[in-house]
Amino acid sequence: MPRLTPYPRGFVLSPDPIDLQTLPRHYRASWIIDAWHFAHDPIREPALAVDEATGRFVLVHGTCFAVGDEDAADVTPWLLAKCLRSEGEFLDALDVLAGRHVVVTGDPTSATIYQDAAGARSVYYSPAARLVASHAHLVQDVVPHPPSPPELGATTVTASWDLTPWDGILALLPNHRLDLSSWRTQRFFPRRRNPYAQWPVEQRLDLLEALWHRELDALTAAFDDIAVSVTGGTDSRVVLALSRPHLAALKGFTYTARRDDEGNAWTRSLSRDERLVRQLLDLLPMRHEFFVHGDKSAPVGAELTELLRRNSLGNHGRWLIPHYNRSLPGDDVIHLRGNAFEIARGYYGPTRDNDTVDEVRRVFSEKAAQRLADGSRADLTERQRNHVDSLLERLGYQDELWGYHRLDLFYWEYRCGRWLAEMLNENDVSFDTVMPVNVRAMLEILLSFDLEERAAGVAFAELINRTFPVLNFVGKNDDRNLYEQVRDAEGPSARSDGSAWLEAGICVVEEDGTVLEDEIAPDQADLHLPLRHFVPGRAAARRIGRPAAPGTLTFRFHSPYVSPLAREKFVYRLRVNGRVMAEVDGAAWAEASHVTVHNLGADDAVDLQVAALAAMTRPSWTTATRAHLDHLRFTSREADGPVRVASSNPYTRYPA
């Protein structure tokens, strides 16, 4: 049933007595070895193991399973045994824990707090109040703190790193532990080079599958109701493929837009998800339901709105909560998500040349800069820059990171550890959420692939192919299925109508024509600009092939991205013999347009470019440049004048 109470699945910990009047009324409180006061939501009882000889203890609160090859059905005493033997063994044990939880180790005089691998269980702390809790608002309820200084600027969870709206309340970030003796955090991962980097690919994927299946076996044995988010993207597809043996026990859901609501990029994306998911459902032996955005039969309501405001920093998708509660009314539903796969995707554009503290600082500064009314961004204040510099040092970004790319760790700790964790806090009024890949050993396996393989999604495609290969056939964030994508991309043998075609591979060039990369595989679209080349003066090009004869070329062009704030960042160009004949701002028009190139000569070369006008660093910009070409047709006819180009896109310019 819905958890219409504050801070579901939460906790509070302190070395001092907690004022019970400040806690939610349903919370239970007790002392750990008479030294640590612990209060929690009783929906999930903590597990405690104590060594009587030494007073050492391990407490685990939340959903937690050990999925390594050791028999550890009772996780807490197993962790305590590791802890008593050595810190190294204990940390290795943490690497094979699945779920969403907090682990506390300690004795009567000291204690240390660890999160799950991705920080899905948010942890907030106040050194001044000597207090730790699962929710920022919960710390503030128990011991009020003043607001954060205005000169630090906006402190939303997506732009604040470890800050909160209150001065002195900080967030614990993934890969770091909190020492309650000093109230300082310390990085504990990475602590060695990636142990899987030298393994054969098959062996790496074998281990990942084994870890995953042990986790799904444990989840399906422990919970009667398991829901899974199903979208048209890759992460969801991998979750479905790896969970194939358990699909009959799962209930899927997808959120979509009303039929009459395709007015912006977000609702169009939802509608595309619905189309792709309906194709997938023909292949999946599972129950499924669509949740429609704008469905007035499931209002949020004032009481629920207030609970969600306290449970989470930010608003992530509150309209879904009534749908969840109506569709999944069980007492303790587990929800599976694939978001943490993004840790291994190179989301912030890691390359061999940008593994630097300066690049982390630059990416953070771009994201944290305040957006102004005209769409521009204000630079960080001196106070903000000083905070970032001190944080980079405190979080260990200046230190030896054993070959792990700083931008990968930054995404893991900054994006997942804050935005994703708060999204799960919002969903807690409906169910607990587990990301099956939220196991540090699994994330290490995925990060062991080289940067090019990760950018191409090699491990994800291989995992689907090994476990449920037919799921690779349906397009991923692309309405075309695999056959249609290959047909449209691989040259003359796959011409759409026998008279014109897209030649295989994308070519990246400098402004002077210098070729930087050739034969890049299309990324879920016929044309896109790889993030590593999103700098002014570079362009990705796709050549259109046709018979060696004079005539007229026609085709349909579609780039679904549109945003007034993104103007003048990239441009599409149609060129004939290297001369730009037509161009359009990449963020100006989201509808399909029809293009005609008339009076082509027998030897004229036609290509389409997407060119960068500004340096961009977020992977979403590559997604924004994705464009599709279809309905290519060439009609032979003698020229009656110079080459002319016409497009139905009203924003098209014709420089020639």
Side-chain angles (χ1 to χ4, degrees), residues 114-184:
Y114 300 83
Q115 299 166 287
D116 54 73
R121 168 66 281 153
S122 62
V123 173
Y124 292 93
Y125 65 98
S126 168
R130 289 163 51 91
L131 190 70
V132 184
S134 51
H135 299 71
H137 283 89
L138 182 51
V139 178
Q140 178 69 1
D141 285 352
V142 177
V143 179
H145 291 65
S148 287
E151 58 267 31
L152 278 176
T155 55
T156 63
V157 295
T158 55
S160 59
W161 218 334
D162 73 335
L163 297 177
T164 71
W166 299 283
D167 192 20
I169 301 179
L170 301 172
L172 180 62
L173 301 177
N175 302 321
H176 295 77
R177 57 191 171 195
L178 175 63
D179 178 356
L180 298 192
S181 300
S182 63
W183 293 92
R184 295 180 181 273

Side-chain angles (χ1 to χ4, degrees), residues 332-491:
D332 203 9
V333 178
I334 285 289
H335 171 213
L336 307 185
R337 294 188 71 109
N339 303 71
F341 278 117
E342 291 181 351
I343 291 170
R345 286 194 174 281
Y347 201 89
Y348 286 157
T351 68
R352 288 178 171 79
D353 301 323
N354 65 2
D355 183 15
T356 65
V357 174
D358 285 343
E359 184 68 7
V360 175
R361 182 186 293 110
R362 187 190 66 77
V363 174
F364 174 80
S365 298
E366 178 186 292
K367 295 182 177 303
Q370 183 181 4
R371 186 183 294 277
L372 302 178
D374 62 359
S376 64
R377 289 179 176 269
D379 292 336
L380 299 188
T381 65
E382 182 178 0
R383 175 79 180 267
Q384 289 170 324
R385 290 195 299 271
N386 290 339
H387 175 73
V388 172
D389 289 342
S390 66
L391 198 61
L392 285 166
E393 182 174 356
R394 177 157 54 87
L395 296 179
Y397 280 84
Q398 315 273 10
D399 301 338
E400 167 62 54
L401 294 174
W402 300 99
Y404 287 83
H405 201 292
R406 284 168 175 79
L407 288 180
D408 287 327
L409 292 173
F410 176 56
Y411 180 84
W412 184 341
E413 297 160 7
Y414 164 80
R415 172 76 169 179
C416 287
R418 298 303 311 277
W419 173 80
L420 183 54
E422 288 298 333
M423 180 175 67
L424 304 190
N425 284 344
E426 183 176 81
N427 291 345
D428 271 337
V429 299
S430 302
F431 37 53
D432 194 5
T433 302
V434 166
M435 297 174 291
V437 77
N438 183 19
V439 177
R440 187 168 282 103
M442 285 196 210
L443 295 172
E444 286 187 276
I445 291 169
L446 294 173
L447 287 168
S448 71
F449 288 80
D450 65 38
L451 292 172
E452 290 76 15
E453 290 172 326
R454 291 202 284 123
V458 168
F460 303 102
E462 284 295 324
L463 286 167
I464 296 171
N465 193 59
R466 287 160 57 103
T467 55
F468 206 161
V470 71
L471 295 189
N472 267 327
F473 185 75
V474 178
K476 304 180 186 76
N477 296 321
D478 188 329
D479 280 315
R480 300 171 302 161
N481 61 39
L482 180 61
Y483 162 72
E484 292 166 330
Q485 293 175 49
V486 172
R487 179 199 66 191
D488 295 345
E490 291 197 347

